[in-house]
Amino acid sequence: MNAPVDVSFFARAAKPITSYRPYWAKRFGAAPFLPMSRTEMERLGWDSCDIILVTGDAYVDHPSFGMAVIGRVLEAQGFRVGIIAQPDWQSAEPFKALGKPNLFWGVTAGNMDSMINRYTADRKIRSDDAYTPGDVGGKRPDRAAIVYSQRCREAYKDVPIILGGIEGSLRRIAHYDYWSDKVRRSIVVDAKCDLLLYGNAERALVEVAHRIAAREPIAQITDVRGTAFVRRPNDPTAEGWIEIDSTDVDLPGRVEDHINPYLTTSEQAQAQGQTCSKEEGGAPAPEVNPAIQPLKFVPNPALNSKRKAPARDRSVIRLPSYEQVKSDAVLYAHANRVLHLETNPGNARALVQAHGEGATARDVWINPPPIPLTTAEMDYVFDLPYARGPHPAYADEHGKHDGATKIPAWEMIRFSVNIMRGCFGGCTFCSITEHEGRIIQSRSEESIIKEVEDIRDKVEGFTGVISDLGGPTANMYRLGCKSPEIEAACRKPSCVYPGICSNLTTDHGPLIKIYRRARELRGIKKILIGSGLRYDLAVKSPEYVKELVQHHVGGYLKIAPEHTEGGPLSKMMKPGIGSYDKFKQLFDKYSEEAGKKQFLIPYFIAAHPGTSDEDMMNLAVWLKKNGFRADQVQTFYPSPMATATAMYHSSMNPLKGISRDPERAERVDIVRGDKRRRLHKAFLRYHDANNWPLLREALKAMGRSDLIGNGKHHLIPTFQPMTDGSYQSARRKNSTPLGKASERAAAVVKPGAKPVQPRKGQMLTQHTGLPPRQTGGAAKRKPG
């Protein structure tokens, strides 16, 4: 049966985004592309823009790009929307290109957090940017949302600034920042924006836009879900809220033993490590501590029918202040745990966190998450008139976007279709839950098929292959809770960990139907699935696995076990490797039935919190035993606000509860320091001769010299070939450059010269792992 997507608690809890009366500028109609210059505005007949969106990405008018979605949704509401993409942030002048916006600025760093976009997990600057024409790096500043907001304020200081995007979502409260290695303030404070919209913001933004258009001051718009803003002390708009103090963790006192009534006074004192004053020479009795008071019994509020719990929709939880979490890692972990417990739109309460003291004191107020879109609203958003390509301003002299001006991120999703949003997996290292939420929002079958037909008929360069029908996870389409009441009340961080919830529907029937219908369309040669697959769900539907394997795999299918060992998997909230084995059996079976030779490409994370050196060694042994050579290696990247990042910063496990008592709190092994992170990464690339010296040293220190040898059962050999010390990344621009010594050792062929032959005993190797795809494109990983 289908999940009750449109009859759940959430569907009846919000005003539909299609029910607003359009703004007067609706008469201008839809623009071919949202304008990026005054010339384009004049062609459209506009004298000004109602809303100007500033983004760190190149403007691609496609529903996979956030600014395009937001811009088209606002345009459909009747607003004139302009876009300033990747402006020069050195001054405010580029921000004046479209004139003064009539209503507000909309600011985002882009589809990625700007720091993750620019820096590797080793804090090295990337030389490329997939969201920029020509894959050129450096087109956006660090902490772009803050910089763009400052420049907007300089350009027109009286125009409200509304901040959004994933950078805003992941930094809405005080958060650990990996790049500066410290806790930073909420981005609401640093960007000085008037309002922050977190998550998928269509519903909130439509409401806010119409209220600002109706001349309501933005300072009074404090009741919209999915928003965050600053409140000063004694703000009258905060009246009527019931504050719940959660500024500290529980501090249970020492439990005293019960005194045996049959012991004498002397024996009782001796049992407690004391002496009886009367029997010890008449020593003076100890002074009475005035702080110790007799027990006072009060009525149990749970048994008092007149005493009720405060209404959740009028309750606000006060988190530890920025100053507290900055200096106390235990309180940081506590605040992170509370935030993740308040993410279900059905029962989440508002949060408030103090920043500053004295004259600078203010509260960052975070309203409950937005109500998810219904299927009808999802169709409305994705059926808008997207041009499905980059803005003409990026075209080369031939009017194309396939050469020097190609935008890699667009190229990757050019022929793909997004069928759903959200993820209930709850992986601790992933940011999807914090941004999109765990309630699955699905499009209708008709809307999806229509988009496939539009790609076939309208997108230049289409060859008949749809690269993906997916989303954050490939196979969560129309999955959800069987009970609307349970769904609205649930506070679990994951529906599939430690096992699949009994209340979760696992019927893949609707998804199978879409796959089959799409591949039977005229002009469609192949429907591939490029999104990450949740294989523990897939094995619940062998029919789905058969359909997927026999018709939708282009030779290789990527999945993400992330690890093989229980320790790190428990900190990731990922299933055991046994689920992978079950899926692989089905994969191999159905591939053989179809007469196809196909491969699984598993992805793994190195240096994740909770991972020991022995865990990585065992993973390397598993990789070799199963014949895998991982060339695309991912080292744990502490993204803002993720649960795994809280583990990394605090060395505690928020999943198990927080306590200052070492016996009650679970400590987490954190992989810090370049040397240890390199070691964990080296175990994943055990086949690379450059890593063998480091691995030999580590294996000897671990007492596992038995893994060093020249047999098939050994992990690494005893001999060492001549190596150049470099690491060739799948992203070649991020590879370590060759040094002078390595240039001499490398077999470089110059024009007119003979190839350099290796000396006897020297081994030149090329580690390619599995055979390359037919297309030659590297598989790009999605989170989750």
Side-chain angles (χ1 to χ4, degrees):
M1 63 183 262
N2 294 352
V5 177
D6 279 344
V7 296
S8 72
F9 165 87
F10 309 108
R12 61 177 184 267
K15 183 177 180 179
I17 61 175
T18 56
S19 63
Y20 291 85
R21 182 180 179 183
Y23 194 59
W24 68 266
K26 178 80 171 179
R27 68 188 69 176
F28 287 101
F33 282 89
L34 301 178
M36 292 178 60
S37 66
R38 292 303 295 253
T39 303
E40 294 174 77
M41 289 171 56
E42 292 168 1
R43 289 197 199 115
L44 295 170
W46 301 1
D47 60 347
S48 61
C49 289
D50 300 312
I51 300 161
I52 296 178
L53 305 178
V54 180
T55 176
D57 295 335
Y59 170 34
V60 180
D61 199 53
H62 187 283
S64 291
F65 285 73
M67 276 298 93
V69 173
I70 291 301
R72 290 297 186 183
V73 167
L74 289 171
E75 179 189 56
Q77 297 290 322
F79 300 104
R80 293 168 294 178
V81 183
I83 287 191
I84 298 177
Q86 298 186 319
D88 179 359
W89 67 90
Q90 302 300 328
S91 73
E93 289 305 312
F95 293 76
K96 300 177 182 179
L98 302 181
K100 182 178 179 180
N102 300 322
L103 300 180
F104 61 85
W105 294 100
V107 176
T108 178
N111 274 17
M112 292 178 66
D113 182 281
S114 60
M115 301 300 286
I116 295 176
N117 178 275
R118 186 147 189 251
Y119 295 89
T120 69
D122 298 323
R123 297 189 179 97
K124 295 179 180 177
I125 296 178
R126 301 186 194 274
S127 57
D128 56 356
D129 184 345
Y131 293 89
T132 301
D135 200 15
V136 178
K139 290 294 185 180
R140 77 186 84 205
D142 291 354
R143 313 190 193 284
I146 297 175
V147 176
Y148 290 160
S149 296
Q150 292 172 342
R151 291 291 180 255
C152 288
R153 189 71 77 196
E154 291 174 24
Y156 302 106
K157 64 180 181 179
D158 57 336
V159 177
I161 296 174
I162 297 180
L163 186 62
I166 194 165
E167 183 165 308
S169 285
L170 301 188
R171 298 173 182 270
R172 58 186 183 263
I173 66 168
H175 54 280
Y176 173 73
D177 184 77
Y178 174 63
W179 304 271
S180 58
D181 193 24
K182 66 179 183 180
V183 175
R184 290 181 62 93
R185 301 185 298 182
S186 164
I187 199 170
V188 180
V189 175
D190 283 343
K192 297 180 175 60
C193 61
D194 295 280
L195 202 61
L196 166 69
L197 272 55
Y198 66 89
N200 293 120
E202 293 94 345
R203 189 184 303 284
L205 190 58
V206 167
E207 179 179 349
V208 169
H210 281 287
R211 288 172 68 171
I212 293 177
R215 298 295 182 262
E216 182 174 351
I218 194 168
Q220 296 180 14
I221 303 178
T222 60
D223 57 341
V224 179
R225 297 181 66 112
T227 62
F229 48 89
V230 168
R231 267 189 168 134
R232 294 288 180 180
N234 303 317
D235 190 325
T237 61
E239 293 181 3
W241 286 85
I242 302 168
E243 187 172 297
I244 300 170
D245 188 356
S246 187
T247 56
D248 204 352
V249 296
D250 292 333
L251 296 172
R254 185 165 63 92
V255 178
E256 302 283 359
D257 292 334
H258 289 289
I259 297 177
N260 187 338
Y262 297 102
L263 297 178
T264 65
T265 304
S266 176
E267 290 170 332
Q268 291 177 7
Q270 186 177 4
Q272 297 178 15
Q274 302 172 357
T275 59
C276 179
S277 60
K278 290 185 178 181
E279 296 185 9
E280 296 292 338
E287 296 183 6
V288 177
N289 187 344
I292 300 176
Q293 299 295 328
L295 291 176
K296 182 179 180 181
F297 293 91
V298 297
N300 184 350
L303 302 177
N304 189 345
S305 59
K306 295 182 181 179
R307 197 177 294 220
K308 297 181 179 179
R312 300 186 78 88
D313 61 348
R314 297 301 297 171
S315 299
V316 59
I317 299 176
R318 180 165 290 278
L319 300 174
S321 69
Y322 159 69
E323 286 74 20
Q324 288 178 294
V325 299
K326 180 182 180 181
S327 59
D328 189 338
V330 174
L331 287 182
Y332 180 91
H334 167 70
N336 183 271
R337 175 176 169 84
V338 172
L339 180 138
H340 282 86
L341 287 173
E342 302 296 331
T343 56
N344 183 349
N347 59 34
R349 290 165 288 194
L351 304 173
V352 63
Q353 185 175 53
H355 283 62
E357 298 172 347
T360 63
R362 65 273 209 208
D363 286 337
V364 174
W365 189 286
I366 305 168
N367 282 331
I371 299 297
L373 298 185
T374 64
T375 294
E377 290 173 318
M378 285 284 286
D379 289 352
Y380 169 79
V381 169
F382 282 89
D383 291 347
L384 293 171
Y386 300 98
R388 301 195 67 87
H391 190 278
Y394 305 124
D396 58 21
E397 63 273 15
H398 306 293
K400 304 290 185 181
H401 301 277
D402 299 322
T405 61
K406 181 169 66 176
I407 302 172
W410 169 70
E411 191 67 25
M412 192 185 90
I413 52 86
R414 186 177 183 179
F415 306 120
S416 69
V417 178
N418 195 328
I419 65 175
M420 48 76 69
R421 281 181 183 169
C423 179
F424 49 69
C427 300
T428 60
F429 53 83
C430 180
S431 303
I432 294 174
T433 300
E434 288 91 337
H435 184 59
E436 295 194 359
R438 62 183 179 86
I439 306 299
I440 302 302
Q441 304 159 69
S442 302
R443 297 170 62 185
S444 70
E445 180 182 326
E446 293 303 321
S447 176
I448 294 167
I449 296 300
K450 178 181 178 296
E451 184 169 350
V452 173
E453 292 174 334
D454 284 345
I455 293 174
R456 176 195 66 192
D457 300 336
K458 300 176 183 177
V459 177
E460 184 179 355
F462 182 64
T463 60
V465 179
I466 296 293
S467 60
D468 190 21
L469 288 182
T473 306
N475 59 319
M476 287 187 183
Y477 178 77
R478 288 201 175 277
L479 299 189
C481 194
K482 297 175 182 177
S483 166
E485 291 75 20
I486 293 175
E487 181 183 48
C490 183
R491 287 162 62 84
K492 289 179 62 177
S494 172
C495 300
V496 289
Y497 183 84
I500 296 175
C501 179
S502 59
N503 294 312
L504 182 70
T505 57
T506 57
D507 177 23
H508 287 58
L511 189 55
I512 296 171
K513 185 180 178 183
I514 287 176
Y515 285 2
R516 290 174 177 169
R517 184 175 171 187
R519 66 181 168 87
E520 291 172 358
L521 290 174
R522 175 187 56 82
I524 301 299
K525 299 176 183 177
K526 188 84 172 178
I527 300 283
L528 296 174
I529 303 304
S531 298
L533 186 78
R534 190 77 194 200
Y535 51 87
D536 52 342
L537 280 175
V539 296
K540 295 291 184 180
S541 177
E543 184 185 4
Y544 170 75
V545 178
K546 183 176 182 178
E547 170 70 21
L548 173 75
V549 171
Q550 296 189 348
H551 299 284
H552 306 284
V553 176
Y556 306 93
L557 179 68
K558 60 180 180 180
I559 58 175
E562 308 298 4
H563 218 285
T564 58
E565 306 306 295
L569 287 174
S570 69
K571 306 305 182 292
M572 299 175 184
M573 290 208 300
K574 292 285 288 187
I577 198 64
S579 295
Y580 166 84
D581 294 333
K582 292 177 184 177
F583 179 79
K584 187 178 186 303
Q585 289 176 0
L586 291 175
F587 182 88
D588 292 342
K589 173 187 174 183
Y590 293 129
S591 294
E592 185 177 357
E593 286 182 5
K596 296 181 177 181
K597 191 172 183 179
Q598 301 184 137
F599 302 91
L600 285 177
I601 302 179
Y603 287 90
F604 299 94
I605 294 180
H608 190 278
T611 307
S612 66
D613 298 349
E614 289 75 15
D615 289 331
M616 293 306 301
M617 176 192 70
N618 292 334
L619 172 54
V621 171
W622 184 92
L623 286 170
K624 182 162 187 179
K625 179 181 177 181
N626 288 272
F628 287 117
R629 289 184 168 188
D631 273 340
Q632 291 179 308
V633 175
Q634 169 123 351
T635 308
F636 170 66
Y637 207 151
S639 60
M641 218 170 78
T643 299
T645 303
M647 295 180 193
Y648 180 87
H649 175 57
S650 67
S651 299
M652 304 183 73
N653 185 2
L655 300 174
K656 298 293 186 181
I658 303 299
S659 173
R660 295 190 186 278
D661 184 350
E663 296 181 0
R664 299 178 66 232
E666 181 180 352
R667 307 298 294 184
V668 179
D669 182 15
I670 304 302
V671 185
R672 300 187 193 276
D674 291 340
K675 183 175 181 180
R676 196 170 176 215
R677 284 173 71 86
R678 283 199 307 270
L679 173 62
H680 283 214
K681 195 171 182 179
F683 270 119
L684 279 181
R685 288 181 53 81
Y686 68 91
H687 53 278
D688 189 339
N690 290 302
N691 294 324
W692 292 349
L694 178 62
L695 291 176
R696 286 193 198 96
E697 178 187 351
L699 289 173
K700 290 176 182 176
M702 295 162 64
R704 293 305 307 269
S705 298
D706 58 300
L707 292 176
I708 305 172
N710 302 321
K712 290 184 178 180
H713 62 285
H714 294 113
L715 184 62
I716 55 175
T718 56
F719 63 89
Q720 181 65 37
M722 183 178 293
T723 58
D724 56 25
S726 68
Y727 165 61
Q728 185 66 35
S729 167
R731 299 176 66 173
R732 286 174 295 177
K733 290 184 180 180
N734 290 331
S735 299
T736 305
L738 298 177
K740 292 183 179 179
S742 59
E743 287 176 356
R744 291 194 298 268
V748 180
V749 181
K750 297 182 179 180
K754 295 182 179 180
V756 178
Q757 298 298 324
R759 299 190 311 272
K760 186 176 181 179
Q762 177 185 357
M763 179 177 67
L764 295 179
T765 59
Q766 181 181 11
H767 307 296
T768 56
L770 293 170
R773 290 177 179 269
Q774 292 284 331
T775 60
K780 184 169 181 180
R781 178 178 188 195
K782 290 185 178 179

